[in-house]
Structure formats: C-alpha cells, structure tokens
Amino acid sequence: MAGLLIKDYYTMRGKQKLAALGGFWLLLFVVRFVLIPTFAPPDASDRQVDRLAVETILVTLYITIDVFLYLYVIWTVVVNLMKADDGRKTKQYYLSLPVSHRQYVQSKYIFFLIVCFVLHSFTTLASYMVMSNMVTEQALTLIVQFSNMQISLTCLTIFLAALELPFYFALGAKKGKVFKEGLAIGLFFIVVIYMMFGDLELFEKIGLLEFCMYLGDHPMAVTGVILISPILSLPSFYVSYRLSVGLSEKRGDNHE
Amino acid sequence: MNKQMTKKRIRIYLLCAFGLVWGMMIPYFALGGSYSAQDTPYRQNATGFILSCSMLCPALSVLLTRKVTKEGFPFTGTNSLLLGISLKDRKWIAYLLAMFLIPVCMELGGWIFYLFAPGACDPSLLADYGVTANLFPLVSLASIFGATTGCIGALGEEIGWRTYLYPKLEELYGRTKACIFGGVIWGVWHFPAIANGHSFGTGYWGEPFSGFVLFTLNCIFTGTLLYVLTMAAGSVWPAAIMHAVNNSAYTYTALCFREDAVQGLLSNSVFRLAITDIPVALIAVILLVRIKRFGKNFYY
C-alpha cells in the first residue's frame, strides 16, 4: 500500500504541486504582512478606506486561490491519477505483483483522500493567516463565513470523486471521462438555458459579500450544511470504493 | 535500546520545540500581543495566527531532530511518525472516543460547576450565537466535525509530543512517568501564552503562577488520555482529532455561562477550570494507575 501511494505521489508530480501550494502561501503571506502594512497601516485612522480596499483585495485573492485549487482538484486529479497508470500499462505490471485489485483500488481512493486533506489543511491555515490583523468588518465577515463553508467544499470534492472514479475503473482512462464531460456539458446547457429564459437581474443581486452576509444571518443553515456534507460524502465515497473494486476485478486486465 | 542516544534525541527535540515557539511567542507578547478582551481585533486575530504557527512547531522539531540524529522518517511501525490508520481489532473505538469523549467530559465538568453556581447557567445566551437550546446538539456536532477535518494544527502538536517525546520518555522511565513528565514538559511549553492570557485570561487569583500549575496539571491529564489513545490505535490520528476537538468544540455549558452571575472564588478562571476538569482528571488518574496493565494489550 505504501509503495502504491508513493508511486502515485511521484506520477502526480507531488513535489511540484506541493511547491505550487507553497508559492500560493508565500503570495498570501507577502500581501498580508508586507503590502497591507505598507499601504494601509492599521494604526492610521485616516486610512480606513485604504484599509478596507486592501483587506478586501486580500480576501478576494484568498477566495480566488481557494476556489481555483478546489476546481483544479475536481477537474484534474482523478483523471491524472487514473491516466498515469492506464497510459503506461503500469496497472498491468502492478497486478502481476502480489497486489490485488482491492489494494490497487484502495490506493487510488486513499491517495485522493490525502490530496483532499492536504488541500483542506492548506486552506484552513491560509485562512488563519489572512484573518490575522484584519480590522475592517466587511472583510472579516467575508473571510469568516467563507472559511465556515470550507468543510462543505472539501466534502463536495470527495462526493464528485465518488461519482467519477467508478467510471474509470469500469471503462478505463480514455472512456472514463464520460462522467466529467457529461457534467460539464450539462452545466453548460443549464447556464445557457438560464441566460436565455431566466431572470438575469439575479446576477445583479447575488455577490460574494451578499452571499457571505446571508451565511452570517443564517447560522443554522451553515450548521446544517456542515453536518450533512460529511454524512453524504464519506459513505458515498466508501460505496464508490466497493463498487470500483468489483468493476476493476470484472474488467481484469482489459486495457485500451 | 541506547539510552544515551534517546536522551540526546530528547534534548535536541526540546531545544527545537521550545526554541521555535518561545522564540516566536516571547518577542510577540513583549511587543504588545495578548489575549486581553481590551485588545483591538487587530491584536486578537494576530494572536490566533501565532498560536496556529506554534502548533506546527513540534512536528517541525521532530523532522529536524530525526534529520540531525539520522533516525529516518518511517510513516508506520515502531519508532515511526504513526501516520498509518487501521480500524481493525476494534481500533475504530479509539476514533469514536477521540471525537466524543472530550465534549462529553467538558459538558459533565460544566454541569459539576453549575452545581456550585446554578445561577450562572443562562440558556438565553445561546441566542447570541443564533441557536436555540433544542438545536444545540447539531451545533455541537458540527463543531466536532469541523474540528476533526481541520485537525492539521493538532496533528502538528501530536506528532511532536505523543509520537516522539512520550515514547522516548517511556523508553527511559516507563509509561506512567512518561505521561507525567511529558505532561509537565507540554505544560511548561505553553507558559509564554498562559502568562499573556491563554486559557485563563488576566486578573485571576495567583496570576500567572496558579495558571501555570493548573494548566500543567491539565496537560498531564489530557496528555495521558491522548497517549493512551495513540497506543490503543497505533496511530497519531485519534490524538490529533481529540486535541482539535478539545480546542474547538462547542459545549452547551460553556456557551450558556454568564460570567457576571458568579461571585467569589468561582469567578476566578483557575477555579472554574479546576472544577470543570474533574471528569478528565478522574479518567486520566484511572488510566495512569492501570496503564501498566494495558502494556501488553496496546497495539503499539
């Protein structure tokens, strides 16, 4: 198991990706502790507007990086994880060793959970850094409420992977993308149909600040989402794993 | 078993752990940082960030010590970082205890406190958090889930204390003394923060020395629970989860506490902690007494 996980770490270029995470951390650190005190010192009471502007920029930068990382994981990690072995026929090699289909599938699922944990931990620690020394109420509301939804974002990522992974074990890396492509096409058509027939004024009313203020005014709704997210996603992930083991054994050594 | 090498490794680890954290906290607090309620949000939030960074320092110290003393970085097995997870042989019980034991003990401790100060429990204070009493269990559960998933800071501490220092102390002094000495060291490590308002605030009776003593006792008891869990599960994760839950979980008794309704000794934070810690202390003392009996049954 450890060998399979280490193999996935190297094929996924884990070092480079951790270095990229470090780069994002450094960017946030420089903005938080160098640029903001330079342009809007906290003790200068005549610079409150500047302070609000720079803190809002920092929070927006954090949220952008956060959402980008989650989208990156959702969009690329699963497909790269499966493509790496299928393309090079390394799966056949590992299955010729004393590695069962169950262990092979298990390594993929555990690796994905490790990726989610690392991502969740990075965004949690980054949020503490961003929140430190924050003065303006609006910026603090934005970051606190967004951070409260972090667990739900992570659970959504896990849930989507639970839906996607069995397709790869059943159909292989090339055809396994059907779920993701179907989801993307479906979302595209929903957006197009809404743009054609829906209420476009909604986009004027909904903003990040309004959404975070709504979360602040409805703490029980946030609590409910925090509770339901792991209850839905983790059992789904386990069921997906059991399904994938069966599909992988059924598919056997058939490769594209 | 090379005791001289073990002692050397402990010295290097403590030098790193104390050096990193005290080197960060003492200048920070000397330059005006604190937990005081009179602080601006500016200083309070910065204190939270400094603490979060401090929690990662024990793990960093372990990595440095292992590198310097060529101990290696095994993830699982004997003398490892204990990062593996196994739920077989009833080890899943350790994970459940990690999530729920401390909140249950904290609630019990809170109700014991309210036996002495019944007027201090004011459920109407829950409204300040947007919660009603009958929905509070959901809020508590959500805080436990949140703490469990966000346990990276606690993991940083537990890798240092429970997977490295405590086993090394056990090699030298046996399990019971390892829990006591380890708890004392862990407590002393917190002293700069306690001297500036961590856990007890400021203005309490015997500040800061009573805070030092009580927090050290708390560390001995909590550290024992954490170490027993680590040994039972053969993994650092239950201890990390329990530590995170201890730091972050909401309890009914804590949120309903009306501070201005208590007078005399009970208004002092050290006495409040002494009373609310009774359930954890009892469990820890029982474990310390029986810990030698667990020796062969622990999967470690």
Side-chain angles (χ1 to χ4, degrees), chain A residues 177-197:
Chain A
K177 290 183 290 186
V178 62
F179 169 78
K180 203 189 297 285
E181 286 168 355
L183 187 66
I185 292 169
L187 280 172
F188 173 75
F189 276 110
I190 288 171
V191 170
V192 165
I193 291 168
Y194 188 86
M195 298 284 276
M196 288 168 67
F197 301 107

Side-chain angles (χ1 to χ4, degrees), chain A residues 2 120 140 220:
Chain A
H120 185 81
L140 205 51
M220 286 312 298

Side-chain angles (χ1 to χ4, degrees), chain B residues 80-96:
Chain B
S80 70
L81 297 169
L82 295 181
L83 288 171
I85 295 178
S86 173
L87 301 178
K88 294 178 185 174
D89 299 323
R90 294 183 294 170
K91 289 178 186 172
W92 55 269
I93 297 174
Y95 292 85
L96 281 181

Side-chain angles (χ1 to χ4, degrees), chain A residues 158-186:
Chain A
I158 292 171
F159 183 71
L160 289 173
L163 294 177
E164 188 181 356
L165 277 162
F167 284 92
Y168 286 97
F169 286 106
L171 305 171
K174 278 187 187 169
K175 294 176 188 166
K177 290 183 290 186
V178 62
F179 169 78
K180 203 189 297 285
E181 286 168 355
L183 187 66
I185 292 169

Side-chain angles (χ1 to χ4, degrees), chain A residues 82 104-105 108-109 165-171 244 247-248 251:
Chain A
M82 303 307 296
Y104 181 78
V105 172
K108 300 298 181 190
Y109 276 76
L165 277 162
F167 284 92
Y168 286 97
F169 286 106
L171 305 171
S244 294
L247 290 169
S248 180
R251 189 160 170 258

Side-chain angles (χ1 to χ4, degrees), chain A residues 16 22 26 29 49 64 73 78 150 162 172 186 195 244:
Chain A
Q16 288 89 329
L26 194 60
F29 184 89
V49 173
T64 305
V73 168
V78 170
Q150 207 78 308
M195 298 284 276
S244 294

